[in-house]
Amino acid sequence: HHDAESTVRNRTLDIMRNKAFDIVYQPIMDAQTRRPKGFESLARFRSEPYRTPDVWIGEARQVGLQQELEVCLIETALKALSHLPKNIYVSVNASPETVASGELADVLMPWPAERVVLEITEHSLVSDYDTLLKELDALRFRGVRLAIDDAGAGYAGLQQIVQLHPDIIKLDVTLTADIDTSVVRRSLGAALVSFANEIGAGIVAEGIE
């Protein structure tokens, strides 16, 4: 067991040291103008066989390196801001633990906060809301916007959306797929849009490429 753990640990440290990943950017389009407003950054790890980022991050969590890995990915992802037009934002993913650690303030410091959207992942694991909210407030006071992922799927319960009061609510692909033919999805989508309007949040629909 110890061997397996040190293998994972060393592999994760190698990935960070060698930047053995690529960041890909998915455009987030303005529905009216059909022009990009921002880009969501997504990590693609280079090693074979291909494994999704959540598998790598889950593995890093097991050996206590999740925050370091997430910070490494975020630092790399934000570099795109220097090549993108000033009105374009980049959205980065962070787990509640990484946000609560307080480490993101330094990572975001070099960049204009209004061009950064922080997307909170894995909502199931929020163990310490108070610390999370305190750190989020500090980042948002500087101008960073908060997005909540996977609304309408799994853990992003309305309770959490209400508590975190996000700037952007992302409709999960399970909700947007077939929304044109499914009355249930359409009415839930409409309810979330109207809820977003009420709290002054924007809506991003995933998976409508």
Side-chain angles (χ1 to χ4, degrees), residues 74-75 78 81 102-114 116 138-139 142 144:
I74 291 169
E75 277 177 335
L78 290 171
L81 285 171
E103 275 185 60
L104 292 183
D106 289 347
V107 176
L108 302 181
M109 192 59 81
W111 304 105
E114 65 281 0
V116 177
L139 293 170
R142 286 179 36 200
V144 173

Side-chain angles (χ1 to χ4, degrees), residues 126-141:
V126 179
S127 48
D128 180 359
Y129 251 106
D130 293 341
T131 310
L132 177 63
L133 289 171
K134 195 173 101 251
E135 291 300 334
L136 275 176
D137 283 347
L139 293 170
R140 296 173 83 179
F141 182 73

Side-chain angles (χ1 to χ4, degrees), residues 81-156:
L81 285 171
S82 50
H83 312 296
L84 289 166
K86 298 276 177 276
N87 60 334
I88 299 282
Y89 69 81
V90 165
S91 127
V92 294
N93 292 283
S95 62
E97 299 92 329
T98 297
V99 178
S101 75
E103 275 185 60
L104 292 183
D106 289 347
V107 176
L108 302 181
M109 192 59 81
W111 304 105
E114 65 281 0
R115 296 183 63 196
V116 177
V117 168
L118 183 60
E119 209 169 293
I120 301 264
T121 55
E122 317 157 57
H123 323 278
S124 57
L125 300 171
V126 179
S127 48
D128 180 359
Y129 251 106
D130 293 341
T131 310
L132 177 63
L133 289 171
K134 195 173 101 251
E135 291 300 334
L136 275 176
D137 283 347
L139 293 170
R140 296 173 83 179
F141 182 73
R142 286 179 36 200
V144 173
R145 279 172 294 167
L146 171 68
I148 287 200
D149 207 0
D150 306 333
Y155 294 119

Side-chain angles (χ1 to χ4, degrees), residues 1 12 21 44 53 64-65 77-78 97-98 136 141 166 175 183 194:
H1 168 69
T12 308
F21 55 82
R44 295 288 176 264
L65 290 172
L78 290 171
E97 299 92 329
T98 297
L136 275 176
F141 182 73
L175 183 58
V183 68
S194 122

Side-chain angles (χ1 to χ4, degrees), residues 143-193:
V144 173
R145 279 172 294 167
L146 171 68
I148 287 200
D149 207 0
D150 306 333
Y155 294 119
L158 289 176
Q159 173 65 29
Q160 266 158 337
I161 294 179
V162 169
Q163 269 188 296
L164 294 176
H165 201 109
D167 304 285
I168 297 169
I169 293 174
K170 299 186 73 183
L171 302 187
D172 188 68
V173 63
T174 53
L175 183 58
T176 59
D178 303 322
I179 198 164
D180 54 327
T181 54
S182 156
V183 68
V184 173
R185 288 188 179 88
R186 198 155 55 243
S187 54
L188 182 53
L192 282 164
V193 168

